[in-house]
Amino acid sequence: MARHSRVRLADVAQLVGVSTTTASRALNGRGEISDATRAAVLEAADRLGFRPSPFAQSLQSRRSNTVGLIVPNVAHHFYATIVQGAQSYLKEAGYQLVLIDSGEDAEGVADAIDTLIGHWVDGIMITTTPFTAVGFSDLLNGTPCVFIDETVEGVGAGSITLENSEGVALLVDHLAETHGHKRIAFLGGRPDRTDGRERREGFLNAMARRGLLVAPEHVSEGEWSVRSGVEQTLHQIDLATPPTALIAASAELALGALAAARSRGLRLPDDMAIVSFDDPEVGALLEPALTAITYDTLAMGERSARLLVAAFDNESAPFNDVRLPVSLVTRRSCGCEFDTLQALKHAGFDDPRGRVTSPSPS
Amino acid sequence: MARHSRVRLADVAQLVGVSTTTASRALNGRGEISDATRAAVLEAADRLGFRPSPFAQSLQSRRSNTVGLIVPNVAHHFYATIVQGAQSYLKEAGYQLVLIDSGEDAEGVADAIDTLIGHWVDGIMITTTPFTAVGFSDLLNGTPCVFIDETVEGVGAGSITLENSEGVALLVDHLAETHGHKRIAFLGGRPDRTDGRERREGFLNAMARRGLLVAPEHVSEGEWSVRSGVEQTLHQIDLATPPTALIAASAELALGALAAARSRGLRLPDDMAIVSFDDPEVGALLEPALTAITYDTLAMGERSARLLVAAFDNESAPFNDVRLPVSLVTRRSCGCEFDTLQALKHAGFDDPRGRVTSPSPS
DNA sequence: CTGTTAGCGCGTTCAA
DNA sequence: TTGAACGCGCTAACAG
């Protein structure tokens, strides 16, 4: 295998005719040094293509300039975008991202944390929380950490989450005020996740605030998946008193809901309105185009990385609980007017790399 | 910032009462050593929670046990899945993945390669090729490398690509044989990419093989994006002799095509059939459900990683050009029968992590 | 079978 | 302003 053999600091120093100490000082700008030698060293380093060995540096400094990110599934757009956001900030800040796709189960996450600590990452960002506070504390063993989209009480430097209940309230308000819906059902995800729980509670609160009754059978629960969306929706449609509008707690649930309703021959949005927390990548391209809550996932990643890096310099800072705003994009599935082609022209969808971006709400 | 201070080999050795050399031998299984001391060292290491410093090891061995992966856009499902596949193999093989989202432009990729080499990765996987062979050779400077979805002649240990022309041929054959289409148009992506070029040529060849005429205006070109799909499709529809079927060279183009055709009031698939190379995540949930070429993206990532790691042990092996098979999934957009709900029940879409997997063809 | 020595490449003393 | 010496933690080479 290719053993790396490159120019060392010593080579640079030798070329210039100074000690490695001097060369080091010139390159790092520490200590006093004459302008002449500094210039000479810099030029020599440049000419030789000198790159300091990160291992030697880390061995000496006891820090790796590396940050770990644990996601349950990189292939999911939400997590992939967080990776992207995090990396863009970390690069700027001089850190390298180490990504681990852990799966969602506890064992995988424990493994991932262990691996990252074994690699001496300076900090860890975690997007899935199958442990309690003590569990995490044990695993982390003092390594700085930030939670994304989830919160674990009293562990880590902070968390970045969405305004989940506010978002659901936007959906409820829009359905009720603009379109006059009263019998609104909620398709939920897993209640053991922070986001799932908050969205569910947000729904109940928003309905209560408007004095709208929620029949128990109009609040269902399931997995965070398309299949579950189908099942929950069929169940709702078959009810003696089916709802006139559906709020899906996630993009996958909404996709399932759309498919299920269509296959039952319902005309959307006339027979039933369907809206969603989470705007799927293809939200504007669905039939009907999906009214949804959007948010800046890229910013979630960036903010998280920023929060973590900030924590490096200030370990004793209090837990930082950041909430990111969300907003409503009205399209056709709620009953509003929406011209897909027009929307495409004005907002996004032109990423040359092929990304299907949703029009960002202003 | 949290300086790592942990148990060193020396601590273990001291506890047992042997030299670090002996301890090292016991832990690494090198050299002769008595069973008794080996056991003692292992136990002590375990009890102390000893983890060898990767920096010290790398400094000494001159290898990092780390592999770099460069993608133009992690947020894109295709690349995200490659990341996932690559990581799953690398983990098994004892390597850590270092991911860089470089963007698609040459500068970003050059930067990424540079960064990775600066981190002494043992090898690099590249998914976008904005350079010629000499360009890459210069940048890589001997670092083992594998290309994914693209090929650069004569550089690296090998490449993993799809059976692009075979895939397009499957689409052409299906449209012609099963549905009797003769005027088939092709919506192309960027011809400067290996995949784009091969799909375009595959189309022309497949049509020629069947003796079908292709009017020049029925082969268009553009970006790899939804917007471009919309534009190209509108252009085709407005032609004096519009095609009766459309083959989109990528998922994004297909999504754009669907939206454009629908917005013009065309009934799909009766007025126009639309099929696609690339099965979008939501292929089965579109209206109409999209007939498409699918392939195992996860396997692309795995195979690539496998190929790279194999190259570590055998640097002089010849260039390994791996082609991954693709297959046709017929749904409704070509004119076939397709029951979305039924498909959901039988194939995929039940990933608890929320992944929207396409039914895999058997 | 085991220990001593030395060096991977860098930064940081301390002394000149 | 510069340099010599040392140590970060580990393993390979060379004794014993």
Side-chain angles (χ1 to χ4, degrees):
Chain A
M1 101 140 273
R3 309 245 149 184
H4 311 263
S5 72
R6 346 251 206 93
V7 274
R8 297 151 304 152
L9 183 57
D11 300 327
V12 177
Q14 187 181 15
L15 181 64
V16 181
V18 295
S19 71
T20 60
T21 316
T22 305
S24 169
R25 281 200 272 253
L27 289 164
N28 299 322
R30 322 274 260 239
E32 316 290 294
I33 203 177
S34 82
D35 288 356
T37 54
R38 182 197 326 275
V41 169
L42 288 178
E43 201 219 292
D46 193 55
R47 202 146 61 77
L48 262 44
F50 168 69
R51 313 279 308 250
S53 156
F55 308 130
Q57 285 182 318
S58 292
L59 187 59
Q60 205 278 133
S61 67
R62 294 173 164 230
R63 39 203 322 279
S64 63
N65 285 318
T66 271
V67 164
L69 172 54
I70 301 176
V71 297
N73 178 13
V74 227
H76 194 291
H77 189 248
F78 176 71
Y79 297 113
T81 308
I82 284 180
V83 171
Q84 197 170 39
Q87 204 221 307
S88 82
Y89 176 73
L90 290 176
K91 182 182 174 186
E92 229 177 78
Y95 289 86
Q96 180 61 49
L97 179 71
V98 175
L99 176 71
I100 298 202
D101 187 322
S102 64
E104 187 139 298
D105 55 306
E107 196 192 351
V109 175
D111 243 44
I113 295 179
D114 208 53
T115 301
L116 290 174
I117 292 185
H119 280 259
W120 292 39
V121 294
D122 294 336
I124 301 184
M125 305 163 61
I126 304 180
T127 57
T128 182
T129 54
F131 297 105
T132 60
V134 268
F136 269 116
S137 295
D138 280 4
L139 285 166
L140 287 168
N141 192 29
T143 304
C145 142
V146 160
F147 291 100
I148 306 179
D149 194 42
E150 298 272 339
T151 307
V152 176
E153 293 291 328
V155 185
S159 69
I160 311 279
T161 47
L162 295 171
E163 288 181 341
N164 287 304
S165 45
E166 289 83 347
V168 181
L170 285 175
L171 293 172
V172 169
D173 289 351
H174 182 72
L175 288 172
E177 278 179 23
T178 308
H179 301 290
H181 286 282
K182 291 187 163 34
R183 278 208 315 285
I184 306 177
F186 183 79
L187 269 46
R190 306 180 25 184
D192 59 326
R193 293 188 47 118
T194 307
D195 48 10
R197 195 174 50 245
E198 289 185 352
R199 290 175 198 179
R200 187 171 173 284
E201 284 167 9
F203 170 71
L204 295 174
N205 291 338
M207 291 294 277
R209 266 202 304 278
R210 311 203 125 258
L212 292 175
L213 237 58
V214 180
E217 67 267 28
H218 282 173
V219 178
S220 55
E221 236 167 48
E223 302 242 294
W224 218 231
S225 70
V226 173
R227 174 176 290 184
S228 171
V230 170
E231 285 164 2
Q232 292 187 49
T233 303
L234 293 180
H235 174 73
Q236 293 290 336
I237 293 176
D238 292 340
L239 247 32
T241 322
T244 62
L246 233 50
I247 296 181
S250 82
E252 288 77 25
L253 290 169
L255 290 170
L258 245 35
R262 262 198 327 247
S263 81
R264 276 294 165 87
L266 266 59
R267 288 171 312 130
L268 307 179
D270 301 333
D271 294 341
M272 182 152 81
I274 296 180
V275 303
S276 159
F277 201 110
D278 277 352
D279 190 19
E281 293 178 81
V282 293
L285 302 171
L286 294 171
E287 190 50 42
L290 190 67
T291 289
I293 292 298
T294 49
Y295 43 83
D296 191 344
T297 315
L298 211 56
M300 281 186 88
E302 282 174 21
R303 290 292 297 269
S304 313
R306 188 186 304 275
L307 185 52
L308 184 58
V309 170
F312 293 162
D313 299 325
N314 185 3
E315 295 229 31
S316 57
F319 188 88
N320 200 335
D321 189 352
V322 178
R323 286 275 169 179
L324 256 37
V326 301
S327 58
L328 177 68
V329 182
T330 55
R331 294 200 272 245
R332 231 167 56 72
S333 70
C334 59
C336 284
E337 296 284 320
F338 180 75
D339 181 340
T340 299
L341 252 45
Q342 205 60 30
L344 293 191
K345 268 185 201 135
H346 290 310
F349 286 97
D350 53 351
D351 189 311
R353 285 178 270 160
R355 175 160 38 177
V356 185
T357 9
S358 303
S360 62
S362 54
Chain B
M1 103 138 273
R3 309 246 150 183
H4 310 265
S5 72
R6 343 247 205 99
V7 272
R8 298 152 303 152
L9 183 57
D11 300 327
V12 176
Q14 187 181 16
L15 181 63
V16 181
V18 294
S19 71
T20 59
T21 315
T22 305
S24 169
R25 283 199 270 252
L27 289 164
N28 298 324
R30 321 275 259 239
E32 317 288 295
I33 203 176
S34 81
D35 287 357
T37 53
R38 184 200 321 279
V41 169
L42 289 178
E43 202 220 292
D46 193 54
R47 201 146 60 77
L48 262 45
F50 168 70
R51 313 277 311 249
S53 157
F55 308 130
Q57 285 182 318
S58 291
L59 186 59
Q60 205 282 134
S61 67
R62 295 174 163 229
R63 39 202 322 281
S64 63
N65 285 317
T66 271
V67 164
L69 171 55
I70 302 175
V71 297
N73 177 13
V74 228
H76 194 290
H77 190 249
F78 176 72
Y79 296 114
T81 307
I82 285 181
V83 170
Q84 197 170 38
Q87 205 221 307
S88 82
Y89 176 73
L90 290 176
K91 182 183 174 186
E92 228 176 77
Y95 289 85
Q96 180 60 50
L97 180 71
V98 175
L99 176 71
I100 298 201
D101 188 321
S102 64
E104 185 140 299
D105 55 306
E107 196 192 352
V109 175
D111 243 43
I113 295 180
D114 209 53
T115 302
L116 289 174
I117 291 185
H119 281 259
W120 292 40
V121 294
D122 294 334
I124 302 183
M125 304 162 60
I126 304 180
T127 58
T128 182
T129 53
F131 297 105
T132 60
V134 269
F136 269 116
S137 294
D138 279 5
L139 285 167
L140 287 168
N141 192 29
T143 304
C145 142
V146 161
F147 291 99
I148 305 177
D149 194 42
E150 299 271 339
T151 307
V152 175
E153 294 291 327
V155 184
S159 70
I160 311 278
T161 47
L162 294 170
E163 288 181 340
N164 287 306
S165 44
E166 289 83 348
V168 181
L170 285 175
L171 293 172
V172 169
D173 290 351
H174 182 72
L175 288 173
E177 278 179 21
T178 309
H179 300 291
H181 286 283
K182 291 189 165 32
R183 277 208 315 285
I184 306 176
F186 182 79
L187 268 47
R190 305 178 28 180
D192 58 326
R193 294 188 47 119
T194 306
D195 49 10
R197 197 174 49 244
E198 290 185 350
R199 290 175 198 179
R200 187 171 174 285
E201 284 168 8
F203 170 72
L204 295 174
N205 290 337
M207 291 293 278
R209 267 201 303 277
R210 314 202 123 260
L212 292 175
L213 237 58
V214 180
E217 67 267 28
H218 282 172
V219 179
S220 54
E221 237 166 48
E223 302 242 294
W224 219 231
S225 71
V226 173
R227 174 177 290 186
S228 170
V230 170
E231 285 164 2
Q232 291 187 50
T233 303
L234 292 179
H235 175 72
Q236 293 290 336
I237 293 175
D238 291 340
L239 247 32
T241 322
T244 62
L246 233 50
I247 296 182
S250 83
E252 289 77 26
L253 291 169
L255 290 169
L258 245 34
R262 264 197 328 247
S263 82
R264 277 294 165 89
L266 266 57
R267 288 171 311 129
L268 308 179
D270 301 332
D271 293 341
M272 182 152 80
I274 296 181
V275 302
S276 160
F277 202 110
D278 277 352
D279 190 19
E281 294 179 80
V282 293
L285 302 171
L286 295 170
E287 190 49 43
L290 190 67
T291 289
I293 292 298
T294 49
Y295 43 83
D296 191 343
T297 315
L298 211 57
M300 281 187 88
E302 283 175 22
R303 289 293 296 271
S304 313
R306 188 186 303 278
L307 184 53
L308 184 59
V309 170
F312 292 162
D313 299 325
N314 184 3
E315 294 230 30
S316 56
F319 189 87
N320 200 335
D321 189 352
V322 178
R323 286 276 169 179
L324 257 37
V326 302
S327 58
L328 177 69
V329 182
T330 56
R331 294 199 274 246
R332 231 166 56 71
S333 71
C334 59
C336 283
E337 296 284 318
F338 180 75
D339 181 340
T340 298
L341 252 45
Q342 204 61 29
L344 293 191
K345 267 184 200 137
H346 290 310
F349 286 97
D350 53 351
D351 189 310
R353 284 178 271 160
R355 174 161 38 177
V356 185
T357 10
S358 303
S360 63
S362 55

PDB file of all heavy atoms in Angstrom, chain B residues 275-293:
ATOM      1  N   VAL B 275     -40.754   7.912 -19.659  1.00  0.00           N
ATOM      2  CA  VAL B 275     -39.996   6.948 -18.860  1.00  0.00           C
ATOM      3  C   VAL B 275     -38.630   7.541 -18.552  1.00  0.00           C
ATOM      4  O   VAL B 275     -38.255   8.570 -19.103  1.00  0.00           O
ATOM      5  CB  VAL B 275     -39.819   5.608 -19.595  1.00  0.00           C
ATOM      6  CG1 VAL B 275     -41.164   5.001 -19.949  1.00  0.00           C
ATOM      7  CG2 VAL B 275     -38.957   5.792 -20.840  1.00  0.00           C
ATOM      8  N   SER B 276     -37.902   6.883 -17.684  1.00  0.00           N
ATOM      9  CA  SER B 276     -36.708   7.533 -17.158  1.00  0.00           C
ATOM     10  C   SER B 276     -35.578   6.570 -16.830  1.00  0.00           C
ATOM     11  O   SER B 276     -35.814   5.462 -16.338  1.00  0.00           O
ATOM     12  CB  SER B 276     -37.107   8.274 -15.869  1.00  0.00           C
ATOM     13  OG  SER B 276     -36.010   8.544 -15.060  1.00  0.00           O
ATOM     14  N   PHE B 277     -34.386   6.959 -17.124  1.00  0.00           N
ATOM     15  CA  PHE B 277     -33.223   6.314 -16.552  1.00  0.00           C
ATOM     16  C   PHE B 277     -33.135   6.948 -15.165  1.00  0.00           C
ATOM     17  O   PHE B 277     -33.318   8.151 -15.031  1.00  0.00           O
ATOM     18  CB  PHE B 277     -31.960   6.653 -17.349  1.00  0.00           C
ATOM     19  CG  PHE B 277     -30.867   5.640 -17.140  1.00  0.00           C
ATOM     20  CD1 PHE B 277     -30.498   4.776 -18.149  1.00  0.00           C
ATOM     21  CD2 PHE B 277     -30.222   5.531 -15.914  1.00  0.00           C
ATOM     22  CE1 PHE B 277     -29.503   3.828 -17.963  1.00  0.00           C
ATOM     23  CE2 PHE B 277     -29.242   4.582 -15.717  1.00  0.00           C
ATOM     24  CZ  PHE B 277     -28.871   3.731 -16.739  1.00  0.00           C
ATOM     25  N   ASP B 278     -32.893   6.143 -14.152  1.00  0.00           N
ATOM     26  CA  ASP B 278     -32.902   6.621 -12.759  1.00  0.00           C
ATOM     27  C   ASP B 278     -34.319   6.517 -12.221  1.00  0.00           C
ATOM     28  O   ASP B 278     -35.242   7.092 -12.790  1.00  0.00           O
ATOM     29  CB  ASP B 278     -32.510   8.101 -12.594  1.00  0.00           C
ATOM     30  CG  ASP B 278     -31.025   8.325 -12.565  1.00  0.00           C
ATOM     31  OD1 ASP B 278     -30.275   7.335 -12.521  1.00  0.00           O
ATOM     32  OD2 ASP B 278     -30.621   9.499 -12.577  1.00  0.00           O
ATOM     33  N   ASP B 279     -34.454   5.847 -11.144  1.00  0.00           N
ATOM     34  CA  ASP B 279     -35.741   5.743 -10.494  1.00  0.00           C
ATOM     35  C   ASP B 279     -35.751   6.702  -9.313  1.00  0.00           C
ATOM     36  O   ASP B 279     -35.046   6.486  -8.351  1.00  0.00           O
ATOM     37  CB  ASP B 279     -35.939   4.303  -9.997  1.00  0.00           C
ATOM     38  CG  ASP B 279     -37.350   4.058  -9.531  1.00  0.00           C
ATOM     39  OD1 ASP B 279     -38.237   4.840  -9.905  1.00  0.00           O
ATOM     40  OD2 ASP B 279     -37.548   3.079  -8.788  1.00  0.00           O
ATOM     41  N   PRO B 280     -36.526   7.769  -9.392  1.00  0.00           N
ATOM     42  CA  PRO B 280     -36.528   8.690  -8.247  1.00  0.00           C
ATOM     43  C   PRO B 280     -37.076   7.965  -7.021  1.00  0.00           C
ATOM     44  O   PRO B 280     -37.824   7.002  -7.144  1.00  0.00           O
ATOM     45  CB  PRO B 280     -37.441   9.826  -8.691  1.00  0.00           C
ATOM     46  CG  PRO B 280     -38.176   9.340  -9.875  1.00  0.00           C
ATOM     47  CD  PRO B 280     -37.423   8.198 -10.449  1.00  0.00           C
ATOM     48  N   GLU B 281     -36.708   8.454  -5.863  1.00  0.00           N
ATOM     49  CA  GLU B 281     -37.170   7.814  -4.632  1.00  0.00           C
ATOM     50  C   GLU B 281     -38.665   7.621  -4.622  1.00  0.00           C
ATOM     51  O   GLU B 281     -39.181   6.642  -4.122  1.00  0.00           O
ATOM     52  CB  GLU B 281     -36.834   8.697  -3.428  1.00  0.00           C
ATOM     53  CG  GLU B 281     -35.387   8.868  -3.162  1.00  0.00           C
ATOM     54  CD  GLU B 281     -35.225   9.789  -1.974  1.00  0.00           C
ATOM     55  OE1 GLU B 281     -35.373   9.313  -0.844  1.00  0.00           O
ATOM     56  OE2 GLU B 281     -34.976  10.992  -2.187  1.00  0.00           O
ATOM     57  N   VAL B 282     -39.345   8.603  -5.178  1.00  0.00           N
ATOM     58  CA  VAL B 282     -40.799   8.582  -5.115  1.00  0.00           C
ATOM     59  C   VAL B 282     -41.432   8.082  -6.404  1.00  0.00           C
ATOM     60  O   VAL B 282     -42.604   8.309  -6.650  1.00  0.00           O
ATOM     61  CB  VAL B 282     -41.335  10.001  -4.827  1.00  0.00           C
ATOM     62  CG1 VAL B 282     -40.928  10.431  -3.439  1.00  0.00           C
ATOM     63  CG2 VAL B 282     -40.839  10.986  -5.865  1.00  0.00           C
ATOM     64  N   GLY B 283     -40.656   7.361  -7.192  1.00  0.00           N
ATOM     65  CA  GLY B 283     -41.119   6.925  -8.510  1.00  0.00           C
ATOM     66  C   GLY B 283     -42.503   6.314  -8.507  1.00  0.00           C
ATOM     67  O   GLY B 283     -43.322   6.587  -9.389  1.00  0.00           O
ATOM     68  N   ALA B 284     -42.769   5.485  -7.509  1.00  0.00           N
ATOM     69  CA  ALA B 284     -44.050   4.778  -7.474  1.00  0.00           C
ATOM     70  C   ALA B 284     -45.180   5.684  -7.016  1.00  0.00           C
ATOM     71  O   ALA B 284     -46.351   5.337  -7.134  1.00  0.00           O
ATOM     72  CB  ALA B 284     -43.944   3.571  -6.551  1.00  0.00           C
ATOM     73  N   LEU B 285     -44.823   6.846  -6.476  1.00  0.00           N
ATOM     74  CA  LEU B 285     -45.843   7.708  -5.897  1.00  0.00           C
ATOM     75  C   LEU B 285     -46.211   8.871  -6.801  1.00  0.00           C
ATOM     76  O   LEU B 285     -47.049   9.697  -6.457  1.00  0.00           O
ATOM     77  CB  LEU B 285     -45.349   8.254  -4.548  1.00  0.00           C
ATOM     78  CG  LEU B 285     -44.982   7.184  -3.522  1.00  0.00           C
ATOM     79  CD1 LEU B 285     -44.313   7.820  -2.326  1.00  0.00           C
ATOM     80  CD2 LEU B 285     -46.227   6.426  -3.095  1.00  0.00           C
ATOM     81  N   LEU B 286     -45.562   8.947  -7.935  1.00  0.00           N
ATOM     82  CA  LEU B 286     -45.851  10.045  -8.839  1.00  0.00           C
ATOM     83  C   LEU B 286     -47.144   9.771  -9.579  1.00  0.00           C
ATOM     84  O   LEU B 286     -47.683   8.668  -9.549  1.00  0.00           O
ATOM     85  CB  LEU B 286     -44.698  10.216  -9.834  1.00  0.00           C
ATOM     86  CG  LEU B 286     -43.379  10.645  -9.202  1.00  0.00           C
ATOM     87  CD1 LEU B 286     -42.243  10.558 -10.205  1.00  0.00           C
ATOM     88  CD2 LEU B 286     -43.491  12.065  -8.649  1.00  0.00           C
ATOM     89  N   GLU B 287     -47.637  10.780 -10.270  1.00  0.00           N
ATOM     90  CA  GLU B 287     -48.866  10.636 -11.037  1.00  0.00           C
ATOM     91  C   GLU B 287     -48.589  10.971 -12.486  1.00  0.00           C
ATOM     92  O   GLU B 287     -48.413  12.145 -12.785  1.00  0.00           O
ATOM     93  CB  GLU B 287     -49.956  11.535 -10.445  1.00  0.00           C
ATOM     94  CG  GLU B 287     -51.328  11.319 -10.985  1.00  0.00           C
ATOM     95  CD  GLU B 287     -51.730   9.844 -10.992  1.00  0.00           C
ATOM     96  OE1 GLU B 287     -51.464   9.148  -9.995  1.00  0.00           O
ATOM     97  OE2 GLU B 287     -52.276   9.408 -12.015  1.00  0.00           O
ATOM     98  N   PRO B 288     -48.508  10.029 -13.385  1.00  0.00           N
ATOM     99  CA  PRO B 288     -48.606   8.586 -13.130  1.00  0.00           C
ATOM    100  C   PRO B 288     -47.304   8.029 -12.565  1.00  0.00           C
ATOM    101  O   PRO B 288     -46.253   8.640 -12.759  1.00  0.00           O
ATOM    102  CB  PRO B 288     -48.856   8.031 -14.532  1.00  0.00           C
ATOM    103  CG  PRO B 288     -48.157   8.973 -15.441  1.00  0.00           C
ATOM    104  CD  PRO B 288     -48.317  10.330 -14.810  1.00  0.00           C
ATOM    105  N   ALA B 289     -47.408   6.875 -11.929  1.00  0.00           N
ATOM    106  CA  ALA B 289     -46.214   6.221 -11.397  1.00  0.00           C
ATOM    107  C   ALA B 289     -45.213   6.004 -12.527  1.00  0.00           C
ATOM    108  O   ALA B 289     -45.581   5.593 -13.623  1.00  0.00           O
ATOM    109  CB  ALA B 289     -46.589   4.891 -10.757  1.00  0.00           C
ATOM    110  N   LEU B 290     -43.966   6.295 -12.232  1.00  0.00           N
ATOM    111  CA  LEU B 290     -42.947   6.378 -13.282  1.00  0.00           C
ATOM    112  C   LEU B 290     -42.291   5.042 -13.625  1.00  0.00           C
ATOM    113  O   LEU B 290     -41.768   4.355 -12.745  1.00  0.00           O
ATOM    114  CB  LEU B 290     -41.868   7.368 -12.845  1.00  0.00           C
ATOM    115  CG  LEU B 290     -40.828   7.775 -13.881  1.00  0.00           C
ATOM    116  CD1 LEU B 290     -41.472   8.581 -15.004  1.00  0.00           C
ATOM    117  CD2 LEU B 290     -39.718   8.566 -13.211  1.00  0.00           C
ATOM    118  N   THR B 291     -42.317   4.717 -14.875  1.00  0.00           N
ATOM    119  CA  THR B 291     -41.552   3.560 -15.365  1.00  0.00           C
ATOM    120  C   THR B 291     -40.098   3.993 -15.506  1.00  0.00           C
ATOM    121  O   THR B 291     -39.822   5.042 -16.092  1.00  0.00           O
ATOM    122  CB  THR B 291     -42.105   3.102 -16.727  1.00  0.00           C
ATOM    123  OG1 THR B 291     -43.378   2.504 -16.520  1.00  0.00           O
ATOM    124  CG2 THR B 291     -41.161   2.095 -17.375  1.00  0.00           C
ATOM    125  N   ALA B 292     -39.210   3.199 -14.959  1.00  0.00           N
ATOM    126  CA  ALA B 292     -37.827   3.684 -14.883  1.00  0.00           C
ATOM    127  C   ALA B 292     -36.807   2.563 -14.831  1.00  0.00           C
ATOM    128  O   ALA B 292     -37.137   1.405 -14.566  1.00  0.00           O
ATOM    129  CB  ALA B 292     -37.667   4.562 -13.651  1.00  0.00           C
ATOM    130  N   ILE B 293     -35.575   2.945 -15.060  1.00  0.00           N
ATOM    131  CA  ILE B 293     -34.438   2.044 -14.883  1.00  0.00           C
ATOM    132  C   ILE B 293     -33.951   2.198 -13.446  1.00  0.00           C
ATOM    133  O   ILE B 293     -33.686   3.311 -12.993  1.00  0.00           O
ATOM    134  CB  ILE B 293     -33.299   2.428 -15.841  1.00  0.00           C
ATOM    135  CG1 ILE B 293     -33.712   2.150 -17.283  1.00  0.00           C
ATOM    136  CG2 ILE B 293     -32.027   1.666 -15.500  1.00  0.00           C
ATOM    137  CD1 ILE B 293     -33.988   0.691 -17.566  1.00  0.00           C
TER     138      ILE B 293
END
